[in-house]
């Protein structure tokens, strides 16, 4: 397999009033596990169900109810860990994180503080073709999601919807290896892409099934390299954590304004306080939610209701052997097998449906030509057509392949192929039959082309004289011949004949 070497992107630098500052960012991403049932109950995880209809007794914290681990949630966390090239811990355990909140009827969240199911891994975050950042993963643990308090339905009362209570989350904790707002967004989208390939999280940020806590600090140029050399956090600045971000755009904005806030504090001689903040997109500012002193004491302790989670290496190996091809591998394969540019390969592997469509078109054909047709013609046309997705494409891979075959066999010109594509897109049908029935075949018969060239030359003696002086004017004759033949003449043959006749 082709292996590419990547350049590390430069960190984002923000100019302060006194000197330049760099950013250091670490993310805690909460990804809802794609399963039918919750982490410790059989209740459904279906989004948008009638409030409080997907609630088992254990989710509602009824006395005497015991949690029972859902094996599929464990399998999904293991698959995610494998997809992030991470260590899988055969021994992990659940802990209680105690706090009171109306949307948490148990009075504690079951999580994995001391022994997470997944250990260290890494993600390759592509910034531009040939430029990528490796972000280390510290851990992934499984935990329960909370319910939802609703404060805006009644002036005097709050409501609670427990449908989400107890749904499995994977918390994916990165090392502070992210160096700018764009990288943070690219990191989240890469995680989302990998999990979608794996089928372990839908990654729908609007529905809240992928959200991130964003930790931001600032440092002077050179400090991060010292940290990387020693793993000593004292080289880094004090971080603030911006909670619960569920939009890539807001993540970037929040990092930007938070970094500027910290720079202003430090340059004025103050110190950044470690605290939890919220981003207000309307005001474009972050606000303190709670300081370190106000931080909860969660009184973590091992959950007495659950045995430690022990899994077998054979089971992990079996899951690993059934893992689908992942985005990086698919991209590299597209580059080496189909001769695509890094950019085209990235576009075509953005999701598995695009990739599968392309592979059907490219199989046994010129890969670059196929990529060109899928990206420029088909994606462009779908975008114009109400931003349709590839699954809604009226043109099947077989039809698009048929059009490409007609081009490569010289049956039609590239220009006619575009007309043909439009016909297939709007009316359907077999491309070869359409070309036959509508007389769209390219004229490769040099005799016929020659006659057309002779006719144009004879009718335009002035142009001929000019073209003899200035060979660039030959293009005008080519254009006339193409027009006279309704675009069906083989452009290569026309060019050759025009050149020959003008010079001869
Ligand atoms: P906690 O559980 O208290 O939030 P963690 O040690 O788990 O603390 O760290 C949370 C996140 O903060 C991690 O993603 C980590 O990479 C990030 N982080 C740690 N130090 C810094 C720093 N100086 N600047 C930015 N992010 C940091
Ligand atoms: Mg945290």
């Amino acid at each position: 397999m082709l292996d590419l070497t990547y350049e590390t992107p430069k960190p984002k630098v923000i100019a302060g009033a006194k000197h330049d500052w760099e950013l250091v960012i670490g993310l805690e991403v909460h990804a809802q596990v794609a399963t039918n049932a919750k982490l410790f109950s059989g209740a459904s995880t279906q989004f948008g169900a009638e409030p409080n209809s997907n609630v088992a007794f254990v989710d509602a914290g009824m006395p005497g109810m015991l949690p029972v681990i859902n094996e599929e949630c464990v399998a999904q966390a293991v698959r995610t860990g494998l997809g992030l090239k991470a260590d899988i811990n055969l021994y992990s355990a659940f802990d209680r994180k105690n706090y009171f909140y109306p949307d948490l009827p148990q009075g504690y969240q079951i999580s994995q503080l001391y022994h997470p199911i997944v250990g260290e891994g890494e993600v390759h975050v592509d910034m531009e073709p040939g430029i990528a950042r490796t972000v280390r993963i510290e851990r992934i643990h499984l935990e329960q999601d909370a319910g939802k308090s609703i404060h805006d339905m009644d002036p005097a009362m709050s409501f609670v919807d427990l449908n989400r209570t107890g749904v499995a989350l994977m918390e994916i904790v990165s090392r502070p290896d992210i160096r700018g707002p764009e990288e943070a967004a690219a990191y989240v989208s890469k995680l989302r892409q990998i999990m979608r390939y794996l089928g372990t999280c839908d990654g729908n940020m609007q529905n809240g099934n992928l959200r991130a806590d964003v930790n931001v600090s600032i440092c002077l140029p050179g400090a991060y390299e010292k940290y990387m050399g020693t793993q000593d956090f004292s080289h880094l600045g004090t971080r603030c954590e911006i909670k619960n971000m569920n939009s890539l755009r807001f993540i970037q904005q929040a990092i930007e304004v938070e970094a500027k806030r910290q720079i202003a504090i430090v340059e004025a001689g103050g110190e950044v306080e470690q605290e939890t903040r919220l981003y207000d997109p309307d005001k474009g500012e972050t606000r303190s939610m709670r300081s370190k002193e106000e931080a909860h004491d969660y009184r973590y302790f091992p959950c007495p209701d659950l045995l430690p989670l022990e899994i077998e290496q054979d089971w992990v190996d079996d899951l690993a052997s059934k893992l689908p091809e992942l985005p990086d591998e698919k991209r590299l394969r597209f580059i080496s097998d189909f001769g695509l540019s890094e950019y085209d390969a990235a576009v075509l592997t953005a999701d598995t449906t695009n990739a599968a469509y392309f592979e059907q078109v490219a199989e046994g054909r010129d890969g670059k030509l196929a990529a060109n047709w899928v990206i420029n013609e088909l994606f462009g046309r779908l975008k114009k057509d109400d931003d349709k997705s590839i699954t809604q494409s009226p043109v099947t891979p077989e039809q698009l392949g048929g059009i490409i075959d007609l081009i490569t066999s010289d049956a039609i010109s590239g220009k006619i192929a575009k007309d043909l594509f439009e016909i297939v897109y709007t009316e359907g049908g077999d491309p070869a039959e359409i070309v036959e029935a509508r007389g769209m075949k390219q004229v490769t018969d040099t005799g016929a082309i020659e006659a057309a060239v002779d006719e144009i030359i004879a009718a335009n003696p002035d142009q001929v004289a000019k073209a003899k002086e200035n060979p660039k004017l030959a293009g005008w004759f080519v254009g006339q011949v193409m027009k006279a033949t309704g675009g069906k003449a083989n452009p290569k043959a026309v060019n050759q004949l025009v050149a020959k006749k003008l010079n001869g």
Side-chain angles (χ1 to χ4, degrees), residues 241 243 275-278 287-291 294 296:
E241 178 177 358
K243 274 266 175 227
E275 59 183 358
T276 304
R277 301 180 70 84
L278 283 180
R287 261 200 308 276
S288 180
M289 195 173 134
R290 56 175 181 260
S291 68
E294 297 163 295
H296 298 128

Side-chain angles (χ1 to χ4, degrees), residues 186-366:
Y187 166 76
V188 176
S189 37
K190 187 61 181 276
L191 279 185
R192 179 174 61 183
Q193 185 192 30
I194 292 170
M195 291 190 289
R196 282 180 172 167
Y197 265 64
L198 290 166
T200 58
C201 170
D202 299 341
N204 188 331
M205 297 187 81
Q206 268 125 358
N207 295 355
N209 66 32
L210 189 68
R211 2 188 243 275
D213 298 342
V214 183
N215 297 270
V216 181
S217 68
I218 54 162
C219 65
L220 292 172
Y224 179 79
E225 286 68 24
K226 273 190 209 140
Y227 155 70
M228 280 303 265
T230 60
Q231 294 303 311
D232 178 354
F233 279 87
S234 69
H235 295 292
L236 301 180
T238 305
R239 71 190 151 101
C240 286
E241 178 177 358
I242 313 162
K243 274 266 175 227
N244 240 337
M245 308 286 303
N246 66 350
S247 128
L248 295 180
R249 194 157 53 90
F250 291 162
I251 287 175
Q252 296 183 66
Q253 291 172 1
I255 291 171
E256 194 98 26
V257 300
E258 175 57 18
K260 288 186 174 148
R261 186 188 72 87
Q262 293 181 13
I263 291 170
I265 292 174
V266 175
E267 291 202 335
E271 269 180 34
V272 175
E273 305 265 343
Q274 186 174 333
E275 59 183 358
T276 304
R277 301 180 70 84
L278 283 180
Y279 178 62
D280 180 341
D282 295 328
K283 295 207 176 116
E285 62 181 31
T286 63
R287 261 200 308 276
S288 180
M289 195 173 134
R290 56 175 181 260
S291 68
K292 202 178 177 183
E293 288 75 52
E294 297 163 295
H296 298 128
D297 175 2
Y298 292 117
R299 292 171 290 122
Y300 276 101
F301 63 84
C303 183
D305 289 342
L306 288 157
L307 287 167
L309 183 58
E310 293 186 66
I311 56 178
E312 305 274 333
Q313 186 61 46
D314 283 352
W315 186 64
V316 175
D317 293 343
D318 183 52
L319 293 175
S321 73
K322 292 176 186 146
L323 234 47
E325 185 181 32
L326 290 166
D328 286 347
E329 281 91 57
K330 203 185 275 295
R331 202 177 76 240
L332 292 181
R333 183 168 63 79
F334 277 18
I335 293 170
S336 63
D337 287 9
F338 297 114
L340 303 190
S341 68
E342 270 211 52
Y343 177 83
D344 284 356
V347 172
L348 292 168
T349 56
D351 65 51
T352 49
T353 17
N354 283 355
Y357 187 103
F358 166 75
E359 276 200 86
Q360 282 186 61
V361 177
E363 197 53 55
R365 301 194 172 93
D366 177 341

